[in-house]
Amino acid sequence: MEGTDSDGILGILSERAIKFLDDSTEEALPERFIVPRNENLSFEDFGGYPDIASRARELIELPLKYHDALNEIGARPIKGVLFSGPSGTGKTLLARIIANHADAVFYAINGPEVLSKWYGQSEEIIRRIFEDAKKRERAIIFFDEIDSLATQRSDESHEASRRVVGQLLALMDGFSSDTNVMILGTTNRPQDVDSALRRPGRFDWHIDFPIPTKRDREVILTTSGRKLRLTKDMPHLWVADRTESWTPAELAAIWTEAALLAVSDGRRALLPEDYIGGYERVAKQRMEPRG
Ligand SMILES: Nc1ncnc2c1ncn2[C@@H]1O[C@H](COP(=O)(O)OP(=O)(O)OP(=O)(O)O)[C@@H](O)[C@H]1O
Ligand SMILES: [Mg+2]
């Protein structure tokens, strides 16, 4: 299913009455987007891709931590970092881990949600979040699936999206040297993110999440199974050998299928045969056409 068809969403929602914020929600608004810390999520949950994890920390955590030092050196500030790559490669996961780890207030904005749930108020919400973030010592504003919010402003592109892009551009350009805010976006359709947003001084830093290599797959399999109750050594290499072109999300799904096989067999821990059975099930699903 195509989950980010914003045109489709807008087509339906534009027929609805636009709700305005009332006074009670007004005060609390930016806080609603702050992500609380989750003790159960850490860099250990992000398997494989060692360069991506360290590059992300370098581009996001270092500039926030050494904001003043970088200012003194006179370096051009890093304002926006874009994670791109196919669906299921762990972009949202890594952002969530960074939220837990970075010593910064983390606001998460889901592109499709902010357009649908708050249709007609998206720009106002974004503006308030930026205002709130600027007051913090360090802050990260995260736009998940930013392509749904900031598509190319072509003639046919929707008016709401056009205004959101304009708003984002103005807000990012309006950062002063005191502003210690990093903007992070994810997309699996980088070509759909408005090109003005990709220009220098905006989202000009990219991290690409590729399809994992065999070595990555082995680590992702180990990582995504590490909290499960396993009876014996598991044949990670055997599975990694057979999962060329699989995404991390598909690899992680093997464990869910394996657990279903184990419980339906009356067990409370996984055997290697459950793991292999899980692999076979996901492999079969992958072969079936989607729709
Ligand atoms: N590097 C990884 N290590 C372990 N598990 C992973 C990894 N990447 C992804 N996963 C698993 O896949 C799931 C989906 O990943 P995620 O939602 O981050 O993908 P995404 O790149 O944001 O996809 P989309 O573009 O569709 O939003 C995660 O919740 C996790 O279970
Ligand atoms: Mg995602």
Side-chain angles (χ1 to χ4, degrees):
M1 199 192 84
E2 183 64 76
T4 49
D5 184 357
S6 52
D7 284 346
I9 294 168
L10 289 171
I12 299 163
L13 286 169
S14 55
E15 290 165 19
R16 288 193 198 156
I18 296 170
K19 271 193 303 191
F20 287 94
L21 305 173
D22 63 42
D23 290 343
S24 55
T25 54
E26 210 157 326
E27 295 290 350
L29 204 66
E31 282 78 38
R32 292 222 306 242
F33 292 87
I34 295 176
V35 178
R37 278 182 198 279
N38 172 356
E39 299 302 327
N40 298 317
L41 195 60
S42 75
F43 280 99
E44 300 199 339
D45 295 296
F46 188 78
Y49 303 124
D51 297 346
I52 288 183
S54 62
R55 183 67 173 150
R57 300 180 73 166
E58 184 175 55
L59 284 178
I60 298 160
E61 292 180 4
L62 279 191
L64 287 167
K65 189 168 173 193
Y66 296 110
H67 178 255
D68 294 342
L70 287 165
N71 258 350
E72 275 174 38
I73 293 172
R76 187 161 63 79
I78 296 176
K79 290 186 196 168
V81 176
L82 191 65
F83 289 177
S84 59
S87 186
T89 46
K91 302 179 295 296
T92 303
L93 176 66
L94 186 60
R96 296 272 164 196
I97 293 171
I98 288 171
N100 275 337
H101 189 270
D103 185 17
V105 180
F106 193 100
Y107 305 80
I109 301 167
N110 180 263
E113 186 189 60
V114 91
L115 272 190
S116 58
K117 204 159 156 190
W118 289 284
Y119 180 70
Q121 307 161 19
S122 316
E123 302 146 79
E124 177 62 9
I125 286 173
I126 292 168
R127 193 187 62 73
R128 286 187 198 180
I129 291 171
F130 272 70
E131 278 306 309
D132 200 65
K134 281 206 247 178
K135 291 185 215 140
R136 313 281 179 162
E137 196 182 340
R138 286 184 273 275
I140 298 170
I141 305 177
F142 171 51
F143 289 93
D144 205 7
E145 302 180 26
I146 192 167
D147 45 89
S148 62
L149 209 58
T151 50
Q152 285 287 348
R153 291 169 294 173
S154 62
D155 284 344
E156 319 88 76
S157 91
H158 203 277
E159 180 60 25
S161 163
R162 195 197 317 270
R163 288 199 314 260
V164 165
V165 173
Q167 171 79 289
L168 266 176
L169 292 173
L171 289 166
M172 287 179 92
D173 290 348
F175 281 4
S176 73
S177 59
D178 297 338
T179 311
N180 199 4
V181 179
M182 179 71 64
I183 320 293
L184 177 60
T186 73
T187 178
N188 48 37
R189 300 186 299 185
Q191 70 283 2
D192 286 355
V193 176
D194 192 286
S195 54
L197 273 173
R198 287 181 273 138
R199 279 207 282 276
R202 291 137 181 192
F203 286 96
D204 49 349
W205 295 86
H206 283 194
I207 300 182
D208 187 41
F209 288 56
I211 294 297
T213 64
K214 184 176 154 192
R215 175 67 192 144
D216 288 326
R217 297 198 296 274
E218 198 186 342
V219 184
I220 291 163
L221 287 162
T222 315
T223 306
S224 50
R226 83 188 165 94
K227 287 177 183 162
L228 299 178
R229 201 195 276 177
L230 312 171
T231 44
K232 293 188 194 150
D233 282 346
M234 289 284 160
H236 297 303
L237 196 55
W238 187 93
V239 177
D241 261 328
R242 286 161 179 76
T243 43
E244 166 122 45
S245 86
W246 288 39
T247 63
E250 289 168 330
L251 295 170
I254 293 176
W255 292 113
T256 311
E257 292 285 2
L260 291 174
L261 287 171
V263 293
S264 63
D265 228 20
R267 269 175 281 110
R268 292 280 184 272
L270 301 189
L271 292 173
E273 66 208 58
D274 299 318
Y275 188 24
I276 290 171
Y279 152 75
E280 283 166 351
R281 283 185 168 197
V282 182
K284 189 160 168 278
Q285 290 158 21
R286 285 183 91 246
M287 302 306 287
E288 288 162 5
R290 297 187 186 192

